[in-house]
């Protein structure tokens, strides 16, 4: 028995915690993971870890995880050789495109794509060859309004100002629950300690949320808000800042501020209070507290992007930081200076260059909103989608009206999934191509170093040997690209391995050959605990990518949405609306097959305020029927005074009982899919992002 210690960043969520993983070489020459702990020497995560990281070994050892390509014959799955699989995919996709046009093949890319560097570097090597406009991803059930806002205001969709949590005196959080999610678009390992540090240095944390979330519970102040009311609250804040002269000049060059001032002139705290349920005096006081803090940052996340005014919300977040002088300021919101800078190396984005065929939803960054995916498959006519490629995604459980998508996938001519499991989505595929597990692959975080609260970087080598016959995700894409190019008689440019690309990127970057750091892959190999490149600092003025290099405070597309905001119907007094929630032991839809994570108290219940239970004659623990425009599910209800009256909460990603799912532990878990209730027609009209929060529902005894 020989033990080896490895250091590595966890790839499961955005916090990128450093881990110390011990492997044991057994007498029979097999290698086993013997422990997973937080890496105390990681200067960024300082030993922090959550229960999911320990389950990395369960992913590795899971007998349900696919280890070879599979072909579906009826309801049976049979192994198939890689080359044969690539050839089948190439032939079927090319045939469909030749008969029905390029857009007849759609692509959906899921969340783990951004946590897997080979998928980032190479998925387009193949997918780009397809030249389809029907590209979709989890972005449009998540952070699309962030990108669109940054694209319109700063000229690049990835110029996302990050909350400077370690230096701020006042943090206003809307629609984020970092104590459960470990932070999002704010890579911040050990977030609880960092929030408590704000309080310890005399600062304040305020959380706006329809539920007293885990984060709200440790905040100095929790403001309950009607789901979807955040734009109103933010307008009320902005109005107060202007009206009471609480603004501070910014060093940034800005266009359009006078237009903004005029546009919000009638949106005083009283008027906005009616729209969001927050008392006018509380709105005013919040604006005063924010403006009088030495430094302050307004941070909005998932709960305010996946709602009907998602883009307005994120625009207002930017404006509140801007007009109080906190944009591009220490303790406010700052853009990162990552070692591998996707802002420097990519074009800004692109918006509305084409629209979805059926509903006319706008393209952003080459993708269409995923709420349109099912109808693009189900609506007949020229341009109908007839084939789908899913990559590390489970849209049946993750996107609105999952049942409709289920039905649509059933009717496809061909579907291939690059995935690790036979789950709710991939069970519809003709072929599943599984990659190596994460621990069998190197790791570099191309995405979340971009959004980290310090400039950090690290590269970690694979911990376990690549099994014979296995392929990394990027190699699968290279195989597919070669087979497709050959069949289509198209030229294919040669490519290099992801690690080499990272090396080139590092050398060309801010800390590369031209700097004192001289960062390269070699340097990172020598720093397995990661490298700290310093705190965030003001830089936005020089990084702006707008045509005139000035911040655009009043983008036309966004201002146009004020009309929709003004016309919005106020919610009925007795209306119930559904929101989501996350739990630290779960990860979207795909980490429910590990006993270590699913054990303990059930977490799938619908949370409801005791008064709402009583008024419906329901009791705690009872099975209830929850219905929306699109569907109905049955779940247990749990009374919770943490909920706002009129609001119910259900986590997404559950409901693994669909026939054909081959995940034994997950299938036995109670719970249903929240997205059997969410409505593909309910969205942020500006971006097309799904409004997963604030869905009208009724609840009755089952
Ligand atoms: N109602 C509601 N719906 C939501 C949300 C919500 O809050 N409420 N949240 C939304 C958000 S923020 C997101 S990001 C989406 C997520 O939506 P998706 O990305 O569609 O779903 P995931 O559950 O992340 O599914 C990940 C898939 O990737 C596979 N996988 C994991 N690792 C790898 C890998 O390394 N390689 C490959 N090839 N496959 C891998 C898993 O087996 C699984 O099938 O869900 C959204 N849906
Ligand atoms: N443990 C765990 N960690 C995760 C994930 C996971 O599934 N599990 N998923 C990862 C992914 S893909 C993402 S995108 C991030 C998301 O990370 P976060 O953005 O922090 O997402 P949530 O934890 O869902 O928190 C959203 C909060 O918004 C609130 N909310 C809902 N509707 C509204 C509203 O209308 N207004 C306001 N103000 N609040 C509202 C909810 O009650 C909830 O507390 O988490 C990542 N980390
Ligand atoms: S918070 Fe947990 S899942 Fe997220 S990176 Fe850290 S250890 Fe991994
Ligand atoms: Mo997400």
């Amino acid at each position: 028995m020989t033990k080896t210690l490895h250091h590595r960043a966890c790839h499961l969520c955005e916090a990128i915690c450093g881990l110390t993983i011990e492997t044991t070489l057994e007498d029979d020459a097999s290698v086993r993971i013997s422990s997973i702990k937080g890496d105390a020497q990681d200067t960024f995560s300082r030993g922090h870890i959550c229960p999911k990281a320990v389950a990395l070994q369960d992913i590795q050892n899971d007998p349900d995880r696919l280890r070879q390509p599979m072909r579906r014959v009826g309801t049976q799955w049979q192994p198939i050789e890689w080359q044969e699989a690539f050839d089948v995919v190439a032939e079927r996709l090319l045939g469909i495109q030749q008969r029905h046009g390029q857009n007849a093949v759609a692509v959906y890319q899921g969340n783990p794509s951004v946590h897997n560097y080979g998928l980032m570097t190479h998925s387009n090597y193949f997918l780009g060859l397809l030249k389809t406009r029907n590209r979709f991803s989890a972005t449009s059930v998540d952070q699309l309004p962030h990108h669109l806002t940054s694209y319109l205001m700063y000229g690049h969709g990835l110029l996302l100002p990050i909350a400077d949590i370690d230096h701020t005196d006042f943090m206003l959080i809307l629609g984020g629950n970092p104590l459960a999610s470990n932070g999002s678009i704010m890579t911040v390992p050990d977030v609880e300690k960092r929030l408590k540090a704000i309080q310890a240095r005399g600062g304040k944390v305020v959380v706006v949320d329809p539920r007293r979330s885990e984060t709200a519970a440790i905040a100095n102040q929790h403001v309950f808000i009607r789901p979807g009311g955040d734009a109103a609250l933010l307008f009320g804040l902005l109005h107060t800042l202007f009206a009471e002269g609480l603004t501070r000049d910014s060093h940034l060059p800005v266009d359009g501020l006078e237009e903004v001032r005029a546009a919000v002139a009638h949106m005083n705290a009283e008027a906005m209070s009616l729209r969001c349920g927050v008392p006018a005096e509380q709105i005013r006081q919040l604006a005063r507290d924010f403006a009088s803090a030495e430094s302050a940052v307004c941070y909005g996340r998932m709960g305010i992007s996946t709602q009907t005014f998602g883009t307005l919300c994120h625009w207002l977040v930017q404006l509140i930081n801007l007009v109080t002088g906190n944009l591009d300021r220490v303790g406010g919101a700052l853009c990162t200076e990552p070692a591998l800078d996707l802002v420097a190396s990519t074009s800004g984005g692109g918006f509305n260059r084409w629209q979805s065929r059926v509903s006319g939803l706008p393209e952003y960054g080459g993708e269409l909103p995923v709420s349109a995916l099912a109808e693009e498959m189900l609506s007949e006519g020229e341009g109908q989608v007839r084939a789908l490629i899913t990559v590390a995604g489970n849209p049946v459980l993750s996107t609105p009206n999952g049942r409709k998508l289920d039905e649509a996938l059933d009717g496809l001519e061909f579907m291939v999934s690059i995935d690790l499991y036979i789950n709710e989505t991939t069970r519809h595929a003709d072929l599943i191509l599984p990659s190596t597990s994460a621990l069998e692959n190197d790791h570099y975080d191309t995405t979340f170093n971009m959004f980290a609260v310090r400039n950090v970087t690290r590269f970690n080598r694979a911990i376990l040997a690549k099994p014979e016959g296995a392929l990394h995700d990027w190699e699968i894409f290279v195989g597919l690209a070669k087979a497709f190019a050959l069949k289509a008689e198209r030229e294919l440019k040669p490519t290099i391995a992801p690690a080499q690309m990272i090396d080139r990127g590092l050398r060309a970057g801010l800390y590369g050959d031209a700097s004192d750091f001289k960062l390269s892959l070699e340097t990172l190999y020598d720093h397995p605990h990661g490298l700290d490149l310093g705190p965030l600092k003001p830089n936005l003025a020089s990084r702006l990518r707008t045509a005139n290099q000035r911040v655009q405070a009043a983008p036309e597309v966004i201002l146009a949405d004020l009309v929709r905001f003004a016309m919005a119907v106020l919610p009925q007094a007795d209306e119930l609306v559904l929101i989501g929630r996350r739990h630290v032991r779960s990860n979207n839809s795909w980490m429910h097959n590990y006993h270590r994570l699913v054990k303990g108290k059930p977490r799938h219940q619908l949370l409801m305020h005791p008064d709402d239970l009583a008024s419906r004659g329901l009791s705690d623990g009872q099975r209830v029927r929850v219905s929306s425009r699109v569907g109905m599910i049955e779940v247990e209800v749990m009374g919770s005074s943490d909920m706002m009256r009129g609001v119910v909460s259900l986590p997404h990603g559950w409901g693994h009982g669909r026939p054909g799912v081959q995940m034994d532990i997950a299938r036995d878990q109670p719970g249903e899919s929240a997205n059997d209730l969410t409505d593909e027609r309910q969205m942020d009209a500006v971006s097309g992002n799904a409004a997963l929060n604030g869905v009208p529902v009724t609840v009755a005894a089952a």
Side-chain angles (χ1 to χ4, degrees):
M1 275 198 347
T2 322
K3 293 186 185 299
T4 314
L5 283 186
H6 313 260
H7 305 288
R8 173 172 178 107
C10 176
H11 75 292
L12 291 171
C13 88
E14 301 179 34
I16 55 175
C17 301
L19 307 177
T20 298
I21 304 183
E22 184 194 75
T23 56
T24 306
L25 175 63
E26 302 286 359
D27 297 336
D28 66 358
S30 66
V31 177
R32 172 174 75 80
I33 297 162
S34 29
S35 88
I36 300 179
K37 296 198 173 111
D39 178 1
Q41 291 178 73
D42 182 310
T43 56
F44 191 36
S45 64
R46 307 176 290 208
H48 178 262
I49 190 173
C50 88
K52 289 186 292 301
V54 188
L56 280 170
Q57 58 194 298
D58 305 324
I59 306 178
Q60 181 62 36
N61 300 328
D62 188 355
D64 287 334
R65 180 168 61 83
L66 300 178
R67 286 158 171 85
Q68 56 187 330
M70 303 295 275
R71 183 215 298 258
R72 184 170 55 81
V73 184
T75 55
Q76 298 302 307
W77 290 91
Q78 298 168 353
I80 172 175
E81 292 296 323
W82 281 111
Q83 194 53 53
E84 193 188 348
F86 294 153
D87 291 339
V88 171
V89 175
E91 189 178 316
R92 298 296 305 275
L93 293 181
L94 190 64
I96 287 168
Q97 286 196 318
Q98 282 169 343
R99 268 177 282 126
H100 303 291
Q102 283 170 334
N103 298 335
V105 173
V107 173
Y108 174 84
Q109 287 183 272
N111 168 277
S113 305
V114 291
H115 297 274
N116 177 325
Y117 86 124
L119 273 177
M120 292 298 284
T121 55
H122 280 78
S123 53
N124 231 24
Y125 190 60
F126 168 58
L127 300 173
L129 289 178
L130 298 169
K131 296 194 163 62
T132 173
R133 287 187 162 185
N134 279 314
R135 299 211 28 181
F136 303 85
S137 80
T139 292
S140 48
V141 278
D142 187 352
Q143 80 287 3
L144 177 54
H146 292 252
H147 296 310
L148 180 59
T149 302
S150 281
Y151 172 67
L152 296 170
M153 294 182 76
Y154 312 130
H156 198 296
L158 292 174
L159 270 177
L160 303 175
I162 304 302
D164 190 12
I165 190 170
D166 289 343
H167 303 105
T168 195
D169 298 298
F170 194 100
M171 186 157 176
L172 172 60
I173 302 176
L174 302 101
N177 184 13
L179 258 63
S181 67
N182 283 296
S184 185
I185 313 201
M186 173 177 68
T187 282
V188 55
D190 208 358
V191 66
E192 184 169 357
K193 248 190 219 150
R194 294 179 201 250
L195 286 172
K196 287 184 170 160
I198 298 177
Q199 298 169 321
R201 59 180 178 261
K204 271 195 177 154
V205 178
V206 179
V207 172
V208 178
D209 199 303
R211 171 180 160 247
R212 192 192 341 272
S213 64
E214 292 76 2
T215 310
I218 65 155
N220 300 74
Q221 188 187 351
H222 171 215
V223 179
F224 278 112
I225 190 163
R226 274 294 292 182
D230 302 86
L233 170 66
L234 292 162
F235 273 126
L237 292 176
L238 189 62
H239 182 278
T240 309
L241 294 170
F242 284 137
E244 300 190 2
L246 302 173
T247 58
R248 223 178 332 195
D249 284 338
S250 170
H251 61 282
L252 293 165
V254 183
D255 285 343
L257 257 190
E258 284 316 308
E259 253 177 289
V260 170
R261 197 189 270 271
V264 306
H266 59 291
M267 294 182 170
N268 61 30
E270 275 75 23
M272 293 301 106
S273 169
L274 298 173
R275 299 282 303 261
C276 63
V278 181
E281 197 38 46
Q282 202 178 359
I283 299 179
R284 285 212 186 83
Q285 193 54 46
L286 190 52
R288 292 173 198 139
D289 293 347
F290 191 93
S292 62
E294 188 54 41
S295 66
V297 64
C298 181
Y299 163 77
R301 207 25 215 114
M302 170 80 199
I304 68 161
S305 58
T306 52
Q307 55 157 281
T308 26
F309 294 105
T311 301
L312 280 188
C313 284
H314 284 291
W315 170 66
L316 287 162
V317 165
Q318 301 307 312
L319 288 177
I320 285 169
N321 288 329
L322 173 70
V323 305
T324 54
N326 285 300
L327 179 64
D328 199 39
R329 174 164 182 260
V330 171
L334 291 162
C335 286
T336 59
E337 288 164 293
L340 212 89
D341 186 5
L342 299 182
V343 172
S345 63
T346 61
S347 79
F351 177 57
N352 207 11
R353 291 168 296 185
W354 62 86
Q355 296 77 32
S356 68
R357 176 182 63 110
V358 181
S359 290
L361 302 184
E363 162 267 358
Y364 172 81
E367 291 180 358
L368 291 167
V370 71
S371 292
L373 180 57
E375 68 183 14
E376 290 299 327
M377 296 171 175
L378 293 169
S379 313
E380 286 174 19
E382 207 182 311
Q384 182 182 359
V385 168
R386 293 164 199 268
L388 176 70
I389 304 166
T390 69
V391 180
N394 190 5
V396 167
L397 290 194
S398 307
T399 67
N401 202 350
R403 290 284 169 187
K404 183 173 171 188
L405 186 60
D406 245 338
E407 178 199 327
L409 298 184
D410 240 356
L412 287 175
E413 279 181 39
F414 181 71
M415 175 170 162
V416 55
S417 294
I418 304 21
D419 206 285
L420 307 174
Y421 285 99
I422 302 175
N423 63 21
E424 299 71 19
T425 298
T426 61
R427 71 198 168 113
H428 294 283
D430 296 280
L431 287 163
I432 305 179
L433 311 179
S435 62
T436 49
S437 77
L439 298 182
E440 293 159 358
N441 200 349
D442 305 327
H443 183 64
Y444 184 87
D445 210 308
T446 53
T447 309
F448 299 104
N449 286 318
M450 294 269 310
F451 306 142
V453 300
R454 286 185 73 85
N455 293 310
V456 288
T457 185
R458 72 189 291 161
F459 185 98
N460 297 123
R461 286 190 167 104
I463 286 172
L464 301 169
K466 185 177 168 189
E468 211 184 306
L471 295 180
H472 297 310
D473 282 289
W474 74 273
E475 294 172 311
I476 297 175
F477 284 103
V478 172
L480 287 169
K482 283 185 177 160
F484 188 85
L486 193 71
K487 280 249 148 55
E489 295 176 4
R490 271 195 233 153
E491 204 196 332
L492 187 65
K493 288 200 189 94
T495 182
I496 54 173
Q500 274 175 284
M501 288 192 188
I502 300 300
D503 188 51
R504 285 188 189 177
L506 291 170
R507 285 169 181 281
L510 197 57
Y511 312 87
D513 292 342
S515 77
D516 293 342
F517 292 87
K518 305 264 180 280
L519 278 196
S520 68
L521 204 54
E522 263 326 294
T523 339
L524 297 197
Y525 283 148
D526 294 340
H527 293 87
H529 307 286
L531 261 181
D532 184 74
L533 302 167
L536 307 188
K537 42 188 192 301
N539 62 15
L540 186 56
S542 63
R543 298 188 77 201
L544 288 170
R545 294 276 291 270
T546 45
N548 65 359
Q549 314 258 305
R550 299 169 67 83
V551 172
Q552 299 304 310
E556 226 174 284
V557 207
I558 298 181
L559 280 192
D561 202 35
L562 292 185
V563 178
R564 189 175 62 105
F565 177 78
M567 310 272 287
V569 199
L570 296 183
Q572 307 285 312
D574 59 346
E575 192 180 62
L576 264 189
V577 291
L578 175 74
I579 61 170
R581 71 174 184 275
R582 283 177 160 74
H583 192 278
V584 75
R585 304 182 77 90
S586 170
N587 195 20
N588 294 324
S589 77
W590 75 280
M591 287 193 63
H592 301 153
N593 210 39
Y594 319 116
H595 179 67
R596 196 191 306 270
L597 291 183
V598 294
K599 70 182 180 195
K601 273 197 288 186
R603 295 178 282 269
H604 64 280
Q605 297 99 329
L606 183 79
L607 299 185
M608 191 179 212
H609 191 277
D611 292 354
D612 286 329
L613 280 178
S615 66
R616 284 167 184 77
L618 300 171
S619 51
D620 186 64
Q622 186 176 349
R623 276 190 82 73
V624 293
R625 190 167 285 182
V626 193
S627 315
S628 71
R629 181 190 76 84
V630 310
M632 191 266 289
I633 60 168
E634 277 188 25
V635 282
E636 280 153 54
V637 69
M638 191 158 114
S640 165
S641 44
D642 289 337
M643 292 306 301
M644 188 175 182
R645 282 186 196 79
V647 185
V648 287
S649 153
L650 191 72
H652 75 287
W654 297 93
H656 301 292
R658 281 163 157 89
V661 171
Q662 295 194 15
M663 298 193 295
D664 274 352
I665 296 176
R667 210 171 35 203
D668 285 346
Q669 301 307 310
E672 291 299 329
S673 176
N675 288 315
D676 288 351
L677 296 171
T678 55
D679 189 338
E680 81 281 15
R681 292 191 203 155
Q682 201 178 322
M683 64 180 80
D684 167 36
V686 183
S687 63
N689 204 43
L692 304 167
N693 288 302
V695 179
V697 290
T698 56
V699 178

